[in-house]
Amino acid sequence: MFFFTISDHVPPAEQLGAINCVMPLTIRTVQPNDWPSILTIQDECYHALEPESLAVLQDKVKRSPTSCWVATSHGEVLGYLLCHPWPHASPPPLDTPLPSMTEAEIFYLHDLAIASKARGMGAGMALLDRALSYATANGFSKAALVAVQNAPAFWQKQGFNETPCPKSLDEYGSGARYMTRRLHNTVNAF
């Protein structure tokens, strides 16, 4: 997918069933058998945008397999975060395969989505922590994203700030905001 969403609707705990109880979370890289779950979660979360195609999502993982993760509990995919290095100070176009890159200026958080039945379990924060740790360990000095569907306030709480963007964000939907966060490293190892 492309950005991060926090759904306007979080079901009451009694509707979440057993999955809402305290469960161990595992964060691991995306595997081929995860795609049906990822597509289901994407469809559930993105109601204001046309979801990206499976081929485009898979392209992101192919280009940056060590920076695309899922959160699982007892083998069930509960959420995902697709990230990749990006050479520009503006977001990539939606539903378009990534170009070949030899240099990258930023670590781009392209899409974070959590299944409604897993909200409140910490899956989103665990995925974000993994991504920011990865970015810092790999020498990136900045992370960026486009916040959509009323998510800018969530991302501000995570240390991201709205940043002027040289390109239109119309394709990302009404209220989309380009946001960045400085990381502690200043050397880019990509």
Side-chain angles (χ1 to χ4, degrees), residues 83-92 101 103-109 135 139-146 178-183 188 190:
C83 303
H84 55 81
W86 188 241
H88 305 291
S90 64
M101 292 178 271
E103 294 182 18
E105 296 174 19
I106 62 170
F107 188 70
Y108 191 75
L109 286 71
F140 289 93
S141 62
K142 187 187 295 185
L145 57 89
V146 174
Y178 183 66
M179 303 181 81
T180 61
R181 174 180 164 167
R182 291 226 174 269
L183 302 173
N188 189 341
F190 179 74

Side-chain angles (χ1 to χ4, degrees), residues 60-84:
K60 287 169 183 37
V61 174
K62 179 182 174 186
R63 299 216 184 244
S64 192
T66 60
S67 65
C68 296
W69 302 278
V70 292
T72 67
S73 184
H74 300 293
E76 181 179 5
V77 175
L78 303 175
Y80 66 92
L81 174 53
L82 306 181
C83 303
H84 55 81

Side-chain angles (χ1 to χ4, degrees), residues 39-151:
L39 291 175
T40 297
I41 293 167
Q42 174 187 244
D43 187 55
E44 176 188 341
C45 291
Y46 294 99
H47 49 82
L49 303 164
E50 183 69 29
E52 286 188 295
S53 69
L54 174 60
V56 168
L57 296 176
Q58 288 174 327
D59 177 71
K60 287 169 183 37
V61 174
K62 179 182 174 186
R63 299 216 184 244
S64 192
T66 60
S67 65
C68 296
W69 302 278
V70 292
T72 67
S73 184
H74 300 293
E76 181 179 5
V77 175
L78 303 175
Y80 66 92
L81 174 53
L82 306 181
C83 303
H84 55 81
W86 188 241
H88 305 291
S90 64
L94 295 182
D95 207 28
T96 303
L98 296 174
S100 295
M101 292 178 271
T102 57
E103 294 182 18
E105 296 174 19
I106 62 170
F107 188 70
Y108 191 75
L109 286 71
H110 194 76
D111 187 12
L112 171 66
I114 306 300
S116 62
K117 65 183 174 183
R119 294 199 183 112
M121 291 178 55
M125 291 307 301
L127 286 162
L128 180 59
D129 287 347
R130 173 67 55 93
L132 296 177
S133 293
Y134 176 94
T136 300
N138 283 277
F140 289 93
S141 62
K142 187 187 295 185
L145 57 89
V146 174
V148 300
Q149 297 185 175
N150 301 315

